[in-house]
Amino acid sequence: SDDNVVDGVYYKARSMRQHVALLQKEDPTLHLLDMVAQFNSAPDSTNRSVDNASKEIYYSPHIDSSDLSYGLKSNRYYQGTYRSNRDSHTEGYVTIRRGEDRVAVVVKGSDDINRAVDGDVVAIELHSIDRWLGSAEEEQSDKQKGAGKKESDQVGESAKESPEAGIAADTAEPTLKDIDNIAEEVAVDDEGQLRRPTGKVAGIIRRNFHKNYCGSICTIEKVEKKEDNDTPHPHDVIAEKHEREHADGVTSTVVLFPIDNRIPPILLRTTQRDRLVGMRILVSIDSWPADSEYPLGHYVKTLGVTGTKDTETQVLLQEFRIPCEPFPAKVLACLPPADYKIELEPGRLDMRHLPVLSIDPPGCKDIDDALHCIELPNG
C-alpha cells in the first residue's frame, strides 16, 4: 500500500547485520548477531566518517589479482602455501619452486606475513640476499655459544672446559628436507656459501578460512606490575588493547585465543560475552582487513566448560578433523540387537582375553591387521 512508501521508495536495502538485528529484537535469547560474518573492523556507529578517519592501518595492502598474475609469470612473485611454525603464528615458511628444486622461504614477523593464515595460498616476494638468514648450522652454533655463556655465568669458569650439550642427530627435530625433501638453504656465491632465503607475502591467492577453530576468550584484566620483575601475560595485554563494548550497550568485541598456536588471536563481536567466558567455543574466520591487527571472525557454537574431559575430547576431535557426527538411523539399523551375545562356534578358539594391537598405519580406513606377542615357556 501507499502507507509503506517512504520518500517514493517502496523497499529499503539493509545489510545482513541490520536485518539480523531486527530479527534478534523478536527474541534476544537467540544471539543471532553472534553468527553474522564480520568484514569491517570498526564498531557499529552512526558516524562512519569519524570511524574511517580514525582507523589505524597495521599492514601494507595486498597486490591486486591482475598485478599478482603478471608478477607470478615474470618471477617477481612466487606462489606457495603458507605454513606457520607449530609453536607460533608469527613465523612460518612458504615452499616455492625454483627450476626443478623446491625451496622453503622463511616468512618472519607480522609485517612480512601480512595477514596470511596457516594454509593460505599466497604470493611472496623474496627479500634481497643481504636480508637472508645464515645457514641452520650457523644459527645452531650461535645458540650453543649463547647457551654456553649463560651456563658459565651460573656455574663458573669450570663450565667453559666442559663440552657443550646438544641434541643427538638421531633424536633432533626433523627438517623439511628430511620430511619432504625441501631445501632450506641456497648457495649464494661461487664458494658455495649457504643462506636461508626470506620473503614477504605480497598477496593472498586463496584463503583457508573454511575451517572452524577451537579456543577460549581472554577477558580484560588490570595489567599492573605488582613487582619490578612481574610482567603481564601477553594474552592480557592483547585483551586490554582490543576488548571493548559497543555503543549499543549490548555488543562487545572480545579476543579469542585458538588452541592451535599456528593461528593468531581472533576478534569476535558477541552479545553473550559473560556466557562465553570460561568456555571452549568454535569460531570461524571471516576476513582480515589491513586496519585490524588480528583477523575478524564470528561465533559458531559452544563445546563446553574449559578443562572438563568431555569438552577437551570434543576439542581434540574438532582440531584433528575426526568425524564425530551421530550415525544416521539407516546405519544403526545394521547393528545387531542390544541383547546380542556371541556364540562360540565349534572349532573356533576364544582368544578375547589376550591384548591384540592393530598394526595398520595411521589414517587407514581398513583396520584388518593385528598383532599379539607373548613370551613362551622356553624364553
Side-chain angles (χ1 to χ4, degrees), residues 212-245:
N212 293 332
Y213 301 97
C214 300
S216 298
I217 291 174
C218 180
T219 58
I220 293 177
E221 295 181 5
K222 295 295 183 181
V223 184
E224 297 178 353
K225 294 185 179 181
K226 298 179 181 179
E227 300 178 1
D228 293 340
N229 296 328
D230 188 18
T231 57
H233 193 279
H235 288 189
D236 294 331
V237 177
I238 295 174
E240 184 179 45
K241 179 178 180 181
H242 293 280
E243 184 176 344
R244 64 180 182 270
E245 290 188 3

Side-chain angles (χ1 to χ4, degrees), residues 178-207:
D178 297 332
I179 300 173
D180 295 321
N181 196 29
I182 299 174
E184 296 183 281
E185 300 167 347
V186 176
V188 295
D189 55 24
D190 296 336
E191 297 178 357
Q193 181 184 6
L194 298 177
R195 298 185 71 86
R196 299 170 65 191
T198 62
K200 63 178 181 180
V201 174
I204 307 293
I205 297 175
R206 185 171 65 251
R207 282 292 192 184

Side-chain angles (χ1 to χ4, degrees), residues 192-359:
Q193 181 184 6
L194 298 177
R195 298 185 71 86
R196 299 170 65 191
T198 62
K200 63 178 181 180
V201 174
I204 307 293
I205 297 175
R206 185 171 65 251
R207 282 292 192 184
N208 186 39
F209 287 171
H210 61 275
K211 176 187 175 183
N212 293 332
Y213 301 97
C214 300
S216 298
I217 291 174
C218 180
T219 58
I220 293 177
E221 295 181 5
K222 295 295 183 181
V223 184
E224 297 178 353
K225 294 185 179 181
K226 298 179 181 179
E227 300 178 1
D228 293 340
N229 296 328
D230 188 18
T231 57
H233 193 279
H235 288 189
D236 294 331
V237 177
I238 295 174
E240 184 179 45
K241 179 178 180 181
H242 293 280
E243 184 176 344
R244 64 180 182 270
E245 290 188 3
H246 292 205
D248 59 9
V250 177
T251 310
S252 300
T253 293
V254 296
V255 185
L256 178 129
F257 292 90
I259 294 174
D260 190 346
N261 292 325
R262 298 173 300 175
I263 307 301
I266 303 170
L267 303 183
L268 309 173
R269 288 179 183 173
T270 178
T271 58
Q272 48 180 338
R273 172 187 177 277
D274 295 337
R275 292 180 55 188
L276 298 181
V277 172
M279 310 294 284
R280 293 288 197 203
I281 64 175
L282 277 182
V283 304
S284 180
I285 297 179
D286 303 316
S287 63
W288 196 344
D291 60 353
S292 178
E293 189 171 1
Y294 298 108
L296 310 178
H298 68 271
Y299 166 85
V300 176
K301 72 175 182 177
T302 301
L303 297 179
V305 178
T306 301
T308 61
K309 184 177 71 172
D310 291 343
T311 299
E312 300 305 326
T313 299
Q314 290 296 318
V315 169
L316 291 174
L317 294 174
Q318 177 67 34
E319 285 295 293
F320 291 97
R321 300 189 184 185
I322 299 175
C324 54
E325 294 80 9
F327 288 106
K330 187 176 181 180
V331 174
L332 295 176
C334 299
L335 297 176
D339 58 352
Y340 173 78
K341 294 182 180 180
I342 298 176
E343 296 181 0
L344 193 61
E345 299 178 1
R348 298 190 66 181
L349 181 63
D350 188 356
M351 304 185 71
R352 287 174 291 172
H353 62 286
L354 298 177
V356 180
L357 302 177
S358 168
I359 59 173

Side-chain angles (χ1 to χ4, degrees), residues 30-42:
L30 295 178
H31 303 288
L32 296 176
L33 276 174
D34 286 21
M35 300 182 182
V36 178
Q38 285 195 78
F39 299 98
N40 186 358
S41 62

